[in-house]
């Protein structure tokens, strides 16, 4: 069964404690935390201090997605804040191999994310150091964008590249019941969803079931 990682980017930022509780009660598999720096992506969200304050309020794993130009500088703070998985963008990491080592040395799972235009070949020589691959199906920066269809082929290619290794494929951006189905068929293990989880009357379980 595919895992659902709701992105709190679409949650009520004034009420995050309650939102985390609601996610937990609704059967979310993890919490996706979008860290944006206003440089790598145009938007600005939150950093380690906020994540640290959220940590005691749920036992769900924290899946931290770093959309920042210098991820190296904040790895330690993220691990200290309670991140379980730290994902860095390949585009921001000229020394990706070393960065992945550092994430694991901090006791976290290591993820690599690829923008829609970034070819999957960049993963070739670091596969043994990766626990999760995050395929962006929108250009990162904002919630509520439309799914980019070309990424379905990338999911399939990444699945082949992994060749049975213990690496999960996560897809992020524009996930709704229809695109979720296509992603699952292409090989996705985890779906990140903001808009389609945090909508309607607040019945997150129904929204997540629709994606599964
Ligand atoms: C986009 C973020 C996503 C975003 C997804 O840059 O990485 O996690 O919150 O939002 P939706 O599901 O609304 O596309
Ligand atoms: Zn994300």
């Amino acid at each position: 069964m595919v895992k659902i990682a709701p992105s709190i980017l679409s949650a009520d930022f004034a009420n995050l404690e309650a939102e985390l509780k609601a996610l937990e009660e609704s059967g979310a598999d993890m919490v996706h935390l979008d860290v944006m720096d206003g440089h790598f992506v145009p938007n600005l969200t939150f950093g380690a201090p906020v994540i640290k304050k959220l940590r005691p309020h749920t036992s769900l794993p924290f899946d931290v997605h770093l959309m920042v130009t210098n991820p190296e500088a904040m790895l330690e703070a993220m691990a200290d804040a309670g991140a379980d998985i730290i994902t860095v963008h390949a585009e921001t990491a000229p020394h990706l191999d070393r960065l992945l080592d550092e994430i694991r040395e901090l006791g976290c799972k290591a993820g690599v994310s690829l923008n829609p235009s970034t070819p999957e070949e960049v993963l070739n020589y670091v596969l043994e150091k990766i626990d999760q691959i995050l395929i962006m199906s929108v250009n990162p920066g904002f919630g509520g964008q439309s799914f980019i269809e070309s990424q379905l082929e990338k999911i399939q290619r990444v699945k082949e590249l992994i060749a049975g290794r213990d690496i999960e494929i996560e897809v992020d951006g524009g996930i709704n019941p229809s695109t979720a189905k296509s992603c699952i068929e292409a090989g996705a293990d985890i779906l990140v969803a903001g808009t389609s989880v945090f909508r309607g009357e607040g019945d997150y379980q129904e929204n997540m079931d629709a994606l599964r």
Side-chain angles (χ1 to χ4, degrees):
M1 177 84 95
V2 74
K3 294 180 191 167
I4 305 295
S7 162
I8 61 162
L9 191 60
S10 300
D12 178 1
F13 270 22
N15 214 353
L16 287 174
E17 181 182 347
E19 294 281 51
L20 288 179
K21 292 250 156 18
L23 288 181
E24 195 163 323
E25 285 163 12
S26 314
D29 294 285
M30 55 183 88
V31 180
H32 186 81
L33 298 136
D34 287 306
V35 177
M36 304 184 185
D37 67 348
H39 293 277
F40 177 59
V41 291
N43 203 1
L44 190 64
T45 55
F46 49 79
V50 171
I51 295 175
K52 194 168 188 165
K53 287 288 185 186
L54 295 175
R55 185 64 283 187
H57 297 295
T58 177
S59 56
L60 291 174
F62 274 5
D63 177 35
V64 175
H65 178 191
L66 294 183
M67 286 162 275
V68 302
T69 50
N70 186 13
E72 220 150 350
M74 58 175 72
L75 294 182
E76 211 174 317
M78 289 297 166
D80 177 62
D84 297 280
I85 305 151
I86 300 178
T87 294
V88 294
H89 268 262
E91 303 84 2
T92 64
H95 308 293
L96 185 59
D97 179 273
R98 182 175 67 200
L99 210 57
L100 294 169
D101 282 341
E102 284 175 19
I103 294 173
R104 282 190 173 170
E105 278 161 19
L106 287 164
C108 300
K109 286 189 175 180
V112 177
S113 184
L114 306 177
N115 278 342
S117 64
T118 302
E120 63 280 1
E121 281 77 15
V122 71
L123 304 168
N124 264 335
Y125 297 97
V126 288
L127 282 174
E128 309 305 332
K129 304 185 174 198
I130 299 178
D131 300 291
Q132 189 168 296
I133 295 167
L134 175 54
I135 297 172
M136 288 308 303
S137 41
V138 297
N139 289 292
F142 302 96
Q145 302 181 79
S146 298
F147 187 87
I148 299 173
E149 293 287 331
S150 61
Q151 300 310 296
L152 289 173
E153 185 184 329
K154 192 189 276 179
I155 298 169
Q156 290 171 336
R157 284 169 175 260
V158 167
K159 185 92 182 165
E160 284 168 23
L161 202 73
I162 288 172
R165 289 177 180 83
D166 188 16
I167 301 174
E168 291 192 292
I169 299 178
E170 183 174 35
V171 184
D172 185 0
I175 299 293
N176 57 41
S178 159
T179 57
K181 186 167 184 284
S182 307
C183 290
I184 294 166
E185 283 166 5
D189 303 296
I190 307 168
L191 300 175
V192 176
T195 312
S196 58
V197 169
F198 295 96
R199 72 181 166 84
E201 300 303 306
D203 188 347
Y204 301 153
Q205 182 166 354
E206 193 180 314
N207 295 343
M208 282 190 267
D209 284 349
L211 300 178
R212 287 194 181 98

